[in-house]
Amino acid sequence: MHRQDLISTGSGIPEMKTIIRGVILKDYLTFRTLVSKVFGVALSLGSGVPIGKMGPFVHIASAVANQMSLLATKFDSAFGNETRRSECLAAACAVGVACTFSAPVGGVLFSIEVTTMYFSVRSYWRGFFAACCGAITIRLLRGFLVQTEVTVNAFFQTSFTPDAFAVNELPLFVVLGIVCGVLGALYISLYRTVVLFLRRNKYAKRIFQQHWIVYPVFISFAFSVISFPHGLGMFSTGRVSIFDVRNYFSL
């Protein structure tokens, strides 16, 4: 897919922000890019690599919306208007988020975030209606095909009772939230450092940019080693509950 269409690589959200703000990215929402993105995301998620699907879903929804706009332009020239196209893409961003999390309201809020420079009031109900259609469709498909309505599986399944915690434990939860926030910031900083290193180091550029297959093979191998079922992988599966982990460390 990388060779088939270089534009289909990556998340897609930064590019959609750029497009909605008026910058033209050639061939980013074409049918060829759409096909490459769909197959690439399906193969990537099927391999088990821990990549997010919200960005690709937003890109796919935007590409579909763009193709529908081009088709509608043949019957009504009003759909060729740039303002109408931007509104359609904003609604498509909401659909992408709604299909990922089954959250229409969150999808509309995300579309507002993407179009922070300008968001038409009349686009609220359009985005919400489109997001509801997307959320309902993904739930129906998962219900018929997978026999479940869950769209995002948690790594550690929990089933807390109403009295699962005491009031005295709330400060510990606050501390835990702060620690997790700091760890998240450190992860983002580490990721930024790695990306800048890969872009600036001449040896890394020679290996990962000229020989594009090396990077996905390296990431897949590293993830396979870390998530090996009989190693650290036993702690990162939805079939292991938090109580099983507690009992394991209490031995």
Side-chain angles (χ1 to χ4, degrees), residues 2-41:
H2 184 94
R3 283 190 173 182
Q4 181 65 25
D5 200 334
L6 294 174
I7 304 177
S8 63
T9 58
S11 168
I13 294 179
E15 290 80 3
M16 288 310 306
K17 289 184 177 182
T18 304
I19 292 175
I20 293 179
R21 280 169 171 77
V23 179
I24 299 177
L25 297 181
K26 185 179 179 181
D27 298 333
Y28 193 75
L29 298 176
T30 60
F31 181 76
R32 175 182 174 180
T33 304
L34 173 62
V35 174
S36 300
K37 194 75 171 186
V38 169
F39 279 96
V41 171

Side-chain angles (χ1 to χ4, degrees), residues 2-190:
H2 184 94
R3 283 190 173 182
Q4 181 65 25
D5 200 334
L6 294 174
I7 304 177
S8 63
T9 58
S11 168
I13 294 179
E15 290 80 3
M16 288 310 306
K17 289 184 177 182
T18 304
I19 292 175
I20 293 179
R21 280 169 171 77
V23 179
I24 299 177
L25 297 181
K26 185 179 179 181
D27 298 333
Y28 193 75
L29 298 176
T30 60
F31 181 76
R32 175 182 174 180
T33 304
L34 173 62
V35 174
S36 300
K37 194 75 171 186
V38 169
F39 279 96
V41 171
L43 295 176
S44 300
L45 294 177
S47 66
V49 178
I51 58 175
K53 59 181 180 179
M54 186 184 75
F57 274 24
V58 169
H59 186 189
I60 291 173
S62 301
V64 172
N66 183 67
Q67 296 302 312
M68 293 178 63
S69 297
L70 295 177
L71 180 62
T73 304
K74 298 180 180 180
F75 303 96
D76 189 352
S77 59
F79 287 94
N81 184 274
E82 191 64 27
T83 302
R84 180 68 63 86
R85 178 174 178 269
S86 298
E87 294 176 354
C88 186
L89 292 178
C93 292
V95 173
V97 178
C99 291
T100 306
F101 303 107
S102 295
V105 177
V108 175
L109 294 177
F110 177 79
S111 65
I112 297 175
E113 176 189 350
V114 172
T115 59
T116 50
M117 298 295 295
Y118 170 76
F119 192 87
S120 177
V121 176
R122 61 188 177 189
S123 298
Y124 279 102
W125 73 267
R126 295 174 180 174
F128 182 73
F129 178 76
C132 287
C133 293
I136 293 174
T137 302
I138 194 66
R139 279 183 174 270
L140 291 176
L141 289 176
R142 290 188 64 87
F144 284 113
L145 300 179
V146 194
Q147 301 299 324
T148 178
E149 294 184 355
V150 179
T151 56
V152 179
N153 293 321
F155 279 155
F156 299 103
Q157 302 290 344
T158 57
S159 57
F160 295 122
T161 58
D163 55 347
F165 63 91
V167 178
N168 297 334
E169 296 175 336
L170 292 179
L172 297 178
F173 295 152
V174 174
V175 174
L176 179 62
I178 295 175
V179 172
C180 291
V182 173
L183 292 177
L186 292 176
Y187 172 78
I188 295 175
S189 177
L190 176 62

